[in-house]
Amino acid sequence: IGMAASMASFILGAGERGKRTALPSSRVMVHQPMGGSEGQAEDVRVEAEQIIKIKGTLVTMYSHMTGRTREQIVADFEGGDNYMSAEQALEYGLIDRIIGPTHD
């Protein structure tokens, strides 16, 4: 059992190719950046601009890590939290193999 959610899924996918592994019962979750800005209008605008920039960077990097197009990554981010089983994370390109008694 285990979960790599949010930035942990990014770190998992950014690992050295061929060494990115998960257990059969693991879950992986990706989503677009979130903010929670409050305060003056200018503060909210600045944070929104930063979130948009961060999203663009994350999309580019997830695309590089997984081999999926930027458009695919954007679509997968848009629906909110996107949970994957270990098999789905393998197919998606975030991990390279599933380790465990039935997968070695």
Side-chain angles (χ1 to χ4, degrees), residues 31-75:
H31 63 116
Q32 63 181 307
M34 297 184 301
S37 183
E38 295 180 12
Q40 298 178 7
E42 184 63 15
D43 295 337
V44 173
R45 184 191 65 75
V46 168
E47 183 169 347
E49 287 176 357
Q50 289 303 309
I51 291 170
I52 291 168
K53 287 179 185 176
I54 290 167
K55 180 181 178 183
T57 300
L58 284 174
V59 166
T60 298
M61 295 178 88
Y62 270 113
S63 177
H64 176 74
M65 289 186 274
T66 64
R68 295 184 172 266
T69 66
R70 287 181 49 82
E71 292 77 19
Q72 289 172 314
I73 301 294
V74 167

